[in-house]
Structures are given as structure tokens and as C-alpha cells.
Amino acid sequence: MTTQDERRKTVTVLFCDLAGSTALGESVDPERLRTILAAYFECMKTIVERHGGTVEKFIGDAVMAVFGVPSVHEDDALRAVRAAAEMRDALPGLGLEGRIGVTTGEVVTGTEERLATGDAVNVAARLEQAAASGEVLIGEPTLRLVRDAVDVDPVEPLSLKGKSEQISAYRLVTVREALERPHAARFVGRERELALLREAWERAQLERRCELVTIVGEAGVGKSRLVAELLSSVGETVLRGRCLPYGEGITYWAIVEMLKQLDLVPSDELAAAAIRSLLGDSEAATSPEEIAWAFRKTLEQAAAEHPLIAVLDDIQWGDETLHNLIEHVSLLSTGSAILLICMARRELVEHRPTWPVTLRLEPLVEGEVEALLADRVPETMRDRIMRAAGGNPLFVEEMVAVSRERDGDIAVPPTLQALLAARLDQLDPAERHVLERAAVEGETFHRSAVRALSPEEGEVTPHLAALVRKQLIIPDRPQLAGEDGFRFRHLLIRDAAYDGLPKSVRATLHADYAAWLEQHGGSMVELDELLGYHLEQAHTYRVEVGLPDDASLAAAARGRLTAAGSRALSRQDFGAAARLLGRAVALLPSTEIDLPLELHLTEALMNAGRGGEALRQAESLAARAAERGDRVGELCGQLQHGIILTYIAPEGATEQLEALAGDALPELLEAGNDLALHSVYQARGWVAFLRGRTDSARDAYDLAARYARPASLVDEHLGWRSICRLYGTTPIPELLAWLDDTESRAGHDHWHRTSRAMALAWQGRFDDARTLLSGTRAELADRGASILLGGVTAIESNMVEQLAGDADAAAEFGAEGCRILELLGDEAFLSSAASWLAQALYRLDRLDEADSWASRAADLGASDDVFNQMNWRPVKAKVLARRGDRQDAERLAREAVAIAETTDDPNGQGDVYADLAEVLELGGRPTEAREALEQALQRYEGKGNVVSAARVRRRLRELEPAV
């Protein structure tokens, strides 16, 4: 059972054990041994607690400590490593030898049994056991957090008990102070803030006094970068000091750092005595008031000759004594030019609201972040980094660095995770509770939803106001009418809050939020997708933590995801459809088949350019259906598998699919299953199309559409039905009328629009055709429908430009489309695209390239792909004719004509006859060329292709014999 205090945290675990303790027990008197062990435990405990860790327990001679419990600190890993080094060095002084293991990982804390539970505890114990006497081994996760502050030696990967894979480990050599983060990134924005700093510096010099400037902002927002920009433009003496978050003697740590840099003893004897005492050079007693006065005198003396800038960082960690010293110096210094710059996080003003703040540094705005990123990452990653980082320059820099290490994969660096977790751990428990409930809804959320998920907190508005004040969230436009909307300051805060919730709590909250959303979100277009996500999360987390299976949750999630995926499929957003339907299929019980869902998934995967996955999905469907004795499901899976093969492995696939569809049709007619009949007629339509029998294909797709409606399918095949009419015998006026009649049902079907574009182009309406195709390409690119984008770009856009006489534009479209299809590994579309690119290149007299692409089309296309076979031959033929090989040229051209005559495509027939005429004309046979052109004209006029018909008439006039 989950308790209210349970939380998931990333902590660092340390195990320390004595080496040779058995031999020690044999050689030492029991009472003496007890004294030794008591001193050992007390020493280890003192060291751990001095570094902010918690000793969970002593196990025999071993000490287990956790850093991050009860409160997370951003430097828990460094604290643990420092403690480990100190423990290692202290053991010889106790007359003992020991070994230590340290690692970092996610655990559950706040349980009744122990402080931390998780794999990190086991790994730390195993690292300790693998360490040699006097050695500290740290794990890879810890090293990633402390890399800049340690020297280590790698050891051979360890095979640890209970771990399936070897573990990387490193021998700790020394621990150093972490280096200050370099300011390598561009300085962007902050012009006003930098001007204010310069004005303060000018006032200090003009008025010969101390000017205090305090810069407040969240970690990483650019405080030190701003100060560095100021310091780069001045040549004065600069002192630096940093307050430490923990440790002994830290009250004056930053002041001592400055004094050591200054290396100056004040001339006033009393002041000198106080400074010596502070530096440890004297044991004379002194007081905070005397130290503040002596430090002020020292700065004044140093600044008397040269103006001085003193920079104090992280003063939010300083105590009241240090803060009083800063105020003393800033208020009472006279006669010397001193700029005292203090940098702090927002905790300073939360704990000391009267502190004078000069600058509150806000995150960078969008344009400034874009300038910071510039060309350092691909554009596809830029938006994701900007959205996640929320204008924080450190977050931007860290995520850019990680993306480079991971070849473009964007992940949150562990240093940032620790920083954000520490910030949230400082919140009031009620505020943290509200923030976590808000995180369940997402990056944007609503007050009523948070209140519904937080009934024990009563009114949540004051807590939300406090979170706004602490700049963790900001008010935002609500997505629901009548609601108060909010948004996390940046996505990383949302993720950090969410990650702290135990998975069992997440499961409950997601289910509760889904119930709230179903009641309040009826007007949301994406309601099914949102409900599906939250129900899916509730089910998944229950499974992961071993809670009793709730089949109703999985079924409800699957239903919502299926509805959302089907809508995405109907608008041809294939990438989204594949994701949504894939998640729905994953929620199916292992013994169940959802035929419409699984068929839709294969279609979405195929059109999204994921043909291999589509093939495996179809194979899985057929195999599972066969095991269950479901003949209808088995045949549908096989038909879908056959269709996909014609795209990704086309040779012989059409013949196999034709045989399968022929055998399946009688069985499926007898079964009377509308969905299955839709599938078989879809397959028959595709076979007929590949055979060039476009009128037969049209009839088959019309039948498939007839069965789609009673089967509750969203796809009426309007696109394919229009393509079949486009490349069939349907005259263009009749085609345009049919397109008008079906327009209201076509929605986002791109083939429906490209059919209209081609029909308009054949009528000479090129601008209208270009407008349609441009919109289609943009929409397909936005949806990530890559195969279709490649096809439309390489073929239809290319064809329109060739009709319009712009061969350069045609070649550009053709090349771009082929590039897309090549990247996706598609062969079916690419073979046709290669033929049309070859035609465009031929028109530009780039004969070698045209010949190469025609050969590519011949190699890629299946031998029974009629359109491909009749398209590459004419290009080859014309190139050969231009080179003087008239015999082979005519042979290829007549082969293309013979193939075209087997089709229902009058326009394609006209094209190959026109190409034959060109070959014959190049061969000096004008009479036969005229005959071929007359055949072409007959086909074009029958189809209503005005542009091509006019072009052929001009050629006929040119070939008229002289009178």
C-alpha cells in the first residue's frame, strides 16, 4: 500500500564495509572490538551527516547512507562522493581498512520499512563488495553528476550478483572543487540589465562609494553570464566568492575566498587582527561585528588605489551573519569605488523579503533562445529544446550538449533533473501536492481539475497563487470555457513534479482525471486522444506495480485511442494514426483480435513509411487468427500482407496477391462479413490498378467502399476511386463532376485533390493545379506522411510542370520526391517517380542523367507493374534515338505502346504514342511518326486532355509534307 509520504526520488546511495573484519574479530578482545566498532560507526555517521546524508542503518560492519533523504539537494551525488573520500581517508586513523561503493538512481522513499527502496541500493552494495581494500568505486550514474569535480580511474566492467548486464564502475582518486561553468555560449538579450550594471559601476566610481547590486533569478537563468559580460568590459580588480550550501565553517567561506585573492592586510591594527583571526592565522577572539568592520576596511583600502568589483554568488545559502556583513559593507563604505554584486536564487527573497533586489532576471524570450541556438542543432530539434527549456539558458546549453552526445536524441541531463528535484523538495508540502496533481493533466492545466484531484487540500487557489509567485507556473489561456488555465513555467518543471509521484498514485490520478475530463471536456476536438492517453497511463502503471488487472480500463483506453486514430487516418495524418492505433493494439488482450483496428494500423504504418512494421503487423494478425480458427481474420491479414508486399518487395507480389484475392473471394462472400469483403475488393482493386486495368480497379474500389460503410470503416477509398477514374477511360469533364459530387466526403484525401489538380492541368489550368498541389504537399509534410509526400512531389507535381512546359521545375520536384522515397526505402513509388524524373531530365537535354534514372526505374519496378514498364521504356528509347541507336530505340518504344494498349489508360497510351513518334521522327520516318501522333491525338481527345492534344496537333502540322 502506498503511504501519503511515499515519493519517487533520484538519490545517491553509499555503502561502506570493513575489510578483514573476521580476522580482526579473532585477534581482538570482544570488548576492545566493541569499542573499535563504536568509534568506527560514530566516525562514519558524523562524516555522512556533515555532508548532508542520512545513515539508514548499520548492517553488521557495513554502513548504508542515502543522500537525498529526507530532502533532495542538487549536489547530493557530489556530497556522497566527498563523504566517501573522507570516510576512506579516516579509516586508517581508526586502525581499520574498508571499501566503499557509491551509485545514483531512482528509489521510492517515505515507506514505513526503510528510507529508500530500489535498484540503486542493490548496486551500491555490490560496488562496495567489488571494491578492494581502501578503495571507493562509483557507478556511471554518479560519475555523470560529478564529472567536473573528481579524478577517477576506470575499472573493468563488473559482473555483479543479480545484474543481467555488466556495470561500469570507476575508482575514485581525488575530489576537487567543481569548476565554474564556462560561458562559451553567445550572450543574447539582457541589454537593459547589462546597462543597469554599467550604470551602477559608473555611479560607484563617480561618487566614490559602494554600490550594491543584487541579481535574483532561478538557477541557470544567466546571472553569472550577465556578470561575466560586464567584467569582460572592465579592467578593474575583481574579487569572487561563492557561498556553500553546507559544511563546517561556511559562514565566512565566500569572504575568506575574497581575502585570499586580495592578499592584503589592512593598515589598521584592530582590523588586521580581526582579518588574521578570520583567516586562521591567529587564535585571537573576534566577533561578527568586528569581522564585518575589518572586511569593509580591507575593501576600502584596496579600492583606494584602484576601483574594485566584488562578486558574491549563491548568497541565498548564506546565513544571517553573512547577510548582515554584506549590508554593513554596502551601507557604510565611503571614499572608495566598490561595486558589490550579489547573485542569488529566489529563495533569498522568500526567506528575507526586505532584501534590496536590483534585478530580477527572467527567462529569455523566444527570439533570444532562437539566437542562442542559432544553427547549433537541427531545426527539428530546436522547437523541442525551446519548449522544454522555457527560456532558461543553462537548460538550453545542457540539452544541446546531451543531444550532441546522443546523436540528436534529446534528453534531460541528470544535472538538471537534480537541480529541479531539489527546488521542488523545498516547497511547502501542500504546494508540492498541488503541483504534482497539476502535472498529471500536463504542461497546461486547469484549476478545477487540480481541485478535483486534490480533495484533501480544500481550496487550491492560494496554493496555485503561491506557485505563480515562486515562478513555477504562470497563468495561461484555458482550453475549457469558464475555467482558469495555467501552464508550467517550462516543461522540465512539469516532468520533475510528475516524476516524484509513485506509479501507484499516478495510476489513480490518471483514472480520476479521465473521469473529470469526460465530464468537462465534451467540447474538445481531441477529447478521445486525451482520454485514451490518461486511461492508458492508469492501466499501464497498474500493470507495472503489480496491482490487480482492471480490464475495463484497458478496454476504455483502447476504445478512445481507436476512435482518435481512426479520425487521424481519415484525414490522412498517417504518423498520428500509426501512433494512436499502435497504442490501441498494444492494449488488446493476448487472446483477442480486433480486426478493424488491426487492419487500420497496417494501413497507417504503410502510409507513414513504416512498411516493415506494417508487414509484421499483418503477419501477426494472420498467424493469431489462424491459431484461433478465425478464417475471416486470417484471410484479411493475408490480403493486407499481400498488398504491403507489392510496395516493399514488388517482384512477383502482384501475381501472388491476385491469386490470394481470387481464392479468398468465394469464402468471404459465403461468410458475408462486410469488413472482409471490403478487404478483398480493396486487394482486387489494387491488383487491377497495377495491371493497368484502371476501369476494373475503379469498379473494385467502388465495391470496397460499399462494404466499408456497413463495416463502420472510415475509408471510402475516394482517393483511389478518383485516381482510377483519372487514369482510366472516364473523360475529364465527367471526372471533375464526380469529384465535385464527392468533395464533401473527401475531407483531407490527398489523392482526391491531386486527381483534380491533374485534371485541371490537362485542361490547361496550371495555376489552379499548382495551388492544389502546393497545399497538398504542405499538408502532407506537416503530417509526416513521407511516402505520400514523396509520391505527390515526384510524380504529380513533376507531371504538371512538364505539361506547363517548365522542365526545370519538373526536374526539381522529381529529384526532391525521389530523395524522400529513397530515404524511406520505398520501391513501388520510387520506380514510377524515377521514370517521371527521367522524362523531365530528357526535356532538359540531360541525356546521361535521364538514361540513368530510366535504368533505375527499370531495376526497381516489378516486371508486372504495367505503369512502370510502359513509363521507363520511352525515355530509354528517346535517349537511344538521340545517340543514333535507332533499332533498339524503336523496339523499346513499340514495347511501351504494346504494354500501354493492355491498359485502360488513354492518356498513358497517348504519351507512349507521342514518344514513339519522336523516335520515328529522329529516325527519319516522318510518315510513320504522323501515324503515331494521330493515334496519340485520338487518345488525348477521347480523355479530354486539351494540353497534350494541342501539343500533338502542333507537331502534326510541323510534319505535314511540303506542297
Side-chain angles (χ1 to χ4, degrees), residues 164 273 454 579 613 623 655 776 801 914:
S164 58
S454 311
R579 290 190 296 273
E613 293 176 63
E655 184 178 351
T776 300
E801 296 304 334

Side-chain angles (χ1 to χ4, degrees), residues 707-767:
Y707 287 108
R709 287 186 284 273
S712 300
L713 295 176
V714 296
D715 191 1
E716 292 188 52
H717 295 293
L718 284 173
W720 280 112
R721 292 160 70 191
S722 64
I723 287 289
C724 291
R725 284 166 169 79
L726 179 71
Y727 292 112
T729 59
T730 306
I732 288 176
E734 184 180 328
L735 166 61
L736 288 171
W738 183 87
L739 290 171
D740 289 340
D741 290 342
T742 56
E743 183 71 27
S744 62
R745 304 201 309 275
H748 296 269
D749 193 301
H750 80 280
W751 289 130
H752 199 271
R753 277 178 287 169
T754 55
S755 295
R756 183 184 296 277
M758 286 305 307
L760 293 174
W762 285 338
Q763 289 190 331
R765 297 166 59 184
F766 299 120
D767 287 342

Side-chain angles (χ1 to χ4, degrees), residues 501-704:
L501 289 168
K503 290 183 177 180
S504 55
V505 175
R506 294 180 202 174
T508 300
L509 291 175
H510 278 294
D512 291 347
Y513 176 73
W516 179 89
L517 183 62
E518 189 165 19
Q519 183 178 357
H520 294 84
S523 61
M524 299 180 74
V525 175
E526 60 279 277
L527 181 62
D528 282 322
E529 185 170 349
L530 290 173
L531 283 173
Y533 167 77
H534 288 284
L535 293 167
E536 175 191 30
Q537 293 298 100
H539 167 74
T540 300
Y541 285 130
R542 288 181 66 87
V543 171
E544 287 183 5
V545 299
L547 291 173
D549 184 30
D550 188 343
S552 63
L553 266 180
R558 187 173 77 248
R560 292 291 184 171
L561 291 172
T562 298
S566 297
R567 272 198 302 277
L569 190 61
S570 70
R571 63 177 184 266
Q572 297 192 337
D573 189 349
F574 297 116
R579 290 190 296 273
L580 291 164
L581 298 173
R583 286 160 52 196
V585 166
L587 292 168
L588 276 170
S590 58
T591 58
E592 190 174 326
I593 288 175
D594 186 331
L595 195 54
L597 168 60
E598 298 193 53
L599 291 176
H600 274 160
L601 175 57
T602 59
E603 181 183 350
L605 288 169
M606 185 63 220
N607 284 294
R610 296 157 62 181
E613 293 176 63
L615 199 67
R616 290 189 291 274
Q617 175 63 35
E619 287 174 342
S620 171
L621 169 61
R624 287 181 287 112
E627 289 176 4
R628 292 164 49 93
D630 179 356
R631 182 59 177 163
V632 168
E634 180 184 5
L635 285 173
C636 286
Q638 290 175 350
L639 289 166
Q640 200 75 5
H641 181 272
I643 292 173
I644 297 166
L645 274 180
T646 64
Y647 284 91
I648 64 176
E651 187 58 46
T654 303
E655 184 178 351
Q656 295 174 27
L657 179 60
E658 185 173 30
L660 174 62
D663 292 341
L665 181 58
E667 281 192 74
L668 296 178
L669 282 170
E670 184 177 350
N673 184 295
D674 291 323
L675 177 59
L677 289 169
H678 166 269
S679 293
V680 74
Y681 281 117
Q682 178 188 17
R684 288 169 69 88
W686 180 231
V687 167
F689 187 86
L690 290 174
R691 299 291 197 208
R693 302 193 301 269
T694 45
D695 288 350
S696 297
R698 174 200 63 201
D699 296 339
Y701 278 118
D702 284 348
L703 282 169

Side-chain angles (χ1 to χ4, degrees), residues 40 84 195 273 379 402 443 463 486 572 745 762 795 832 837 865:
Y40 157 68
E379 188 173 350
V402 168
E443 186 180 4
H463 300 313
F486 296 87
Q572 297 192 337
R745 304 201 309 275
W762 285 338
I795 301 174
S832 295
L837 175 55
D865 182 346

Side-chain angles (χ1 to χ4, degrees), residues 8-221:
R8 297 178 76 92
K9 289 185 176 183
T10 296
V11 303
T12 301
V13 183
L14 180 153
F15 266 87
C16 175
D17 198 5
L18 294 180
S21 58
T22 301
L24 180 66
E26 291 177 348
S27 60
V28 175
D29 182 83
E31 291 186 33
R32 170 64 177 155
L33 178 62
R34 183 178 63 182
T35 302
I36 292 172
L37 292 178
Y40 157 68
F41 287 133
E42 182 61 29
C43 178
M44 298 299 104
K45 182 174 183 290
T46 299
I47 293 173
V48 167
E49 292 178 350
R50 181 162 59 241
H51 288 278
T54 302
V55 174
E56 174 162 302
K57 58 184 175 181
F58 301 117
I59 311 166
D61 302 331
V63 178
M64 175 188 168
V66 181
F67 292 78
V69 176
S71 296
V72 171
H73 308 94
E74 63 193 74
D75 59 346
D76 277 324
L78 184 56
R79 293 177 184 225
V81 171
R82 284 177 175 155
E86 189 174 340
M87 294 163 76
R88 176 194 63 190
D89 297 342
L91 284 170
L94 298 171
L96 299 170
E97 295 180 355
R99 55 187 180 223
I100 301 174
V102 182
T103 199
T104 303
E106 191 177 41
V107 299
V108 176
T109 68
T111 61
E112 296 178 357
E113 298 83 8
R114 57 191 304 176
L115 288 177
T117 303
D119 189 52
V121 177
N122 301 324
V123 173
R126 299 288 183 257
L127 287 173
E128 172 264 304
Q129 293 164 9
S133 178
E135 189 173 74
V136 177
L137 290 183
I138 64 175
E140 177 75 32
T142 303
L143 181 63
R144 287 199 297 267
L145 289 161
V146 302
R147 192 181 303 275
D148 293 335
V150 297
D151 294 315
V152 297
D153 291 330
V155 300
E156 290 294 323
L158 303 174
S159 298
L160 302 182
K161 182 179 179 182
K163 302 297 294 182
S164 58
E165 297 181 359
Q166 290 186 319
I167 300 296
S168 297
Y170 302 83
R171 184 183 300 107
L172 179 65
V173 180
T174 56
V175 184
R176 300 176 270 101
E177 288 298 321
L179 299 175
E180 185 174 348
R181 189 171 62 253
H183 301 298
R186 295 177 56 196
F187 182 75
V188 298
R190 312 297 194 204
E191 290 84 1
R192 182 185 67 84
E193 293 88 347
L194 184 58
L196 287 173
L197 286 182
R198 286 175 173 154
E199 289 172 9
W201 177 226
E202 290 169 2
R203 280 197 305 274
Q205 295 177 89
L206 181 64
E207 300 175 14
R208 304 289 295 173
R209 66 181 180 85
C210 180
E211 187 79 16
L212 173 64
V213 173
T214 300
I215 306 170
V216 171
E218 65 177 276
V221 79

